[in-house]
Amino acid sequence: MSALTDPWHFPRPDLAQSYLRSFDLGLTSARGLFARRRMGKSEFLKHDLLPAAKHDGYLAAYTNLWDSTDHPGQALATAILLATQPKGLGKFWTDLNAPIRKLKGGGKLPLGLEGSIELDLAEKEKAAVPAIQAALQSADKAKKRLLLVIDEAQVLAAPEHKSIAHALRAGLDIRKPGIKVLFAGSSEAALREMFSRAAAPFYNWAPVEPFPLLGHEFVAATVKQLATVAKHPLSLDDALKAFAALKETPEFFRWYIERYLIYQHQGPEQALRYIQTRIHDDTSYTKTWKGLNRADRAILLLAARGVQDLYGIHALEQLKDLLGSPNVTVSAPRTSLRRLTSAKQQLLARVDHGAYRFEDPEFQAWVTTRRTVD
């Protein structure tokens, strides 16, 4: 049985081959690319790059660390094992998490862990470092090159995952001919810092570049596909206008196409208005806002208003006014900005000393409408 295909997927075979060719040349074993969310990056990785790699003889492993922000080590090891020895995955984790107290005299845990180390059976992440080591060892036995695609890789930059990042870097360093790695992320600032900060585990390990975004050809292909199923085909001009109005965001444009297709009698303008309203529905943004403390909200308000030096004296005075307290110290903005730019929150990205921008322009527009931190 042939694999099901998505008729709405816009294939980019040339782009996929360009990444694979860069690895085939042997001059680099890793690359980093970034694009904000909803720009088609993950779809390209899963539906274009990975199949192309398999066609070229690679084993292909993919994991999205945004789905495993608390357990990236487990996600990485699992992805590698699924690509190299999928039938042994269950036994791998069972063996790795066997409590030492159940081992009989002289016994050792897998991977050479001595009996003096005890693993918590309920938390696989405690075994993340040896798990990554073992998964990479399984790749050595596969006798094929492995392409490891790590989506939302900036999660590894979080301080709590430093040991995992170091272990991964060490394991990949000695396997450059056999394992090629593509680090992808939705936060340009976090991804660049991951490879440019001298103390970071992946310092200077991969070049970071923007992901080529979709444009006119993508819109034209979507309009062509729509014409095969729509009673009233959409004009390319209307589609391009909608794409521009939706800030050239492929996922939002797909929402627009779906809405138009279901309610063709309402016309393209009504479909666009509906999607713009849907995008600006503040349900998720309200939840994000309520999950922040007042100081973090105040910093977001200042950033949304265009304040460029969030460490400066003028910003501090505005923070005092917003928080209704004269006791706000210079450490307040630094502490808030560390949280707001963290891999877990990713609400702001640093662009210069004291200057930050929103990762999500729509969230910035939402914050701009607010007047207080409450």
Side-chain angles (χ1 to χ4, degrees):
M1 181 181 294
S2 61
L4 294 176
T5 58
D6 178 4
W8 298 96
H9 173 64
F10 178 68
R12 307 176 79 181
D14 292 342
L15 182 59
Q17 282 301 320
S18 72
Y19 288 121
L20 295 176
R21 281 196 298 270
S22 72
F23 291 137
D24 292 340
L25 289 172
L27 297 176
T28 181
S29 63
R31 296 182 69 167
L33 61 89
F34 61 85
R36 60 187 175 88
R37 293 193 186 96
R38 302 189 176 97
M39 301 307 288
K41 169 177 55 63
S42 295
E43 181 174 333
F44 164 78
L45 296 174
K46 290 187 285 187
H47 298 292
D48 292 314
L49 183 61
L50 292 176
K54 291 178 181 178
H55 182 270
D56 285 2
Y58 281 89
L59 295 174
Y62 172 88
T63 184
N64 188 326
L65 296 187
W66 198 244
D67 297 328
S68 305
T69 55
D70 294 328
H71 306 291
Q74 181 180 337
L76 285 162
T78 299
I80 295 169
L81 287 160
L82 281 172
T84 57
Q85 54 170 45
K87 292 182 180 179
L89 186 61
K91 185 176 184 300
F92 172 87
W93 284 113
T94 298
D95 289 347
L96 191 65
N97 288 277
I100 292 176
R101 62 178 176 271
K102 291 186 179 179
L103 293 179
K104 297 186 178 178
K108 291 184 178 181
L109 271 175
L111 314 170
L113 291 180
E114 300 300 330
S116 60
I117 303 174
E118 185 163 342
L119 295 179
D120 182 350
L121 190 60
E123 296 185 47
K124 287 182 180 177
E125 196 62 14
K126 287 187 179 295
V129 169
I132 288 172
Q133 293 169 345
L136 291 173
Q137 288 166 15
S138 76
D140 295 338
K141 301 172 185 177
K143 297 181 181 179
K144 280 188 175 184
R145 294 177 300 173
L146 172 68
L147 174 64
L148 174 59
V149 177
I150 307 175
D151 210 349
E152 301 300 348
Q154 69 276 359
V155 169
L156 292 173
E160 62 267 30
H161 302 317
K162 191 172 183 179
S163 62
I164 294 170
H166 274 295
L168 183 62
R169 163 73 186 266
L172 293 174
D173 259 340
I174 60 175
R175 294 176 171 87
K176 289 184 177 180
I179 300 180
K180 309 302 179 182
V181 192
L182 194 146
F183 298 88
S186 57
S187 170
E188 176 185 354
L191 202 63
R192 286 195 183 282
E193 184 176 0
M194 182 174 167
F195 296 105
S196 63
R197 187 163 51 88
F202 283 99
Y203 175 62
N204 267 353
W205 209 71
V208 179
E209 60 198 54
F211 173 65
L213 301 182
L214 293 167
H216 185 283
E217 290 184 353
F218 161 71
V219 175
T222 304
V223 168
K224 183 178 180 181
Q225 173 60 26
L226 185 144
T228 67
V229 293
K231 183 177 180 180
H232 302 288
L234 183 67
S235 75
L236 180 58
D237 284 345
D238 283 335
L240 288 170
K241 289 176 183 176
F243 190 59
L246 297 171
K247 297 183 172 62
E248 299 184 342
T249 306
E251 184 173 336
F252 294 159
F253 183 68
R254 287 276 182 84
W255 294 358
Y256 164 77
I257 291 296
E258 179 183 32
R259 178 70 186 185
Y260 173 77
L261 191 56
I262 295 173
Y263 298 96
Q264 296 176 49
H265 63 282
Q266 294 182 358
E269 293 81 8
Q270 179 60 32
L272 178 58
R273 283 195 292 271
Y274 178 88
I275 296 305
Q276 288 175 318
T277 300
R278 176 182 172 183
I279 292 170
H280 291 99
D281 177 7
D282 67 1
T283 302
S284 62
Y285 293 150
T286 299
K287 183 178 179 181
T288 299
W289 185 259
K290 289 182 177 179
L292 302 172
N293 64 36
R294 297 179 79 250
D296 292 357
R297 295 176 194 171
I299 287 294
L300 288 176
L301 279 172
L302 294 184
R305 295 171 184 176
V307 176
Q308 291 298 302
D309 186 5
L310 292 171
Y311 298 135
I313 187 65
H314 296 299
L316 185 61
E317 292 303 316
Q318 292 180 69
L319 276 179
K320 291 178 180 180
D321 289 340
L322 286 169
L323 296 173
S325 171
N327 300 319
V328 179
T329 66
V330 292
S331 66
R334 296 184 185 277
T335 302
S336 287
L337 286 165
R338 275 197 297 271
R339 285 192 292 264
L340 295 169
T341 58
S342 69
K344 184 165 287 189
Q345 291 195 6
Q346 292 185 40
L347 295 177
L348 293 179
R350 183 178 182 272
V351 294
D352 201 352
H353 179 74
Y356 292 77
R357 63 168 173 76
F358 279 75
E359 293 278 18
D360 182 353
E362 298 297 336
F363 184 47
Q364 178 178 4
W366 185 88
V367 172
T368 302
T369 65
R370 305 193 68 84
R371 296 291 176 263
T372 70
V373 297
D374 298 312

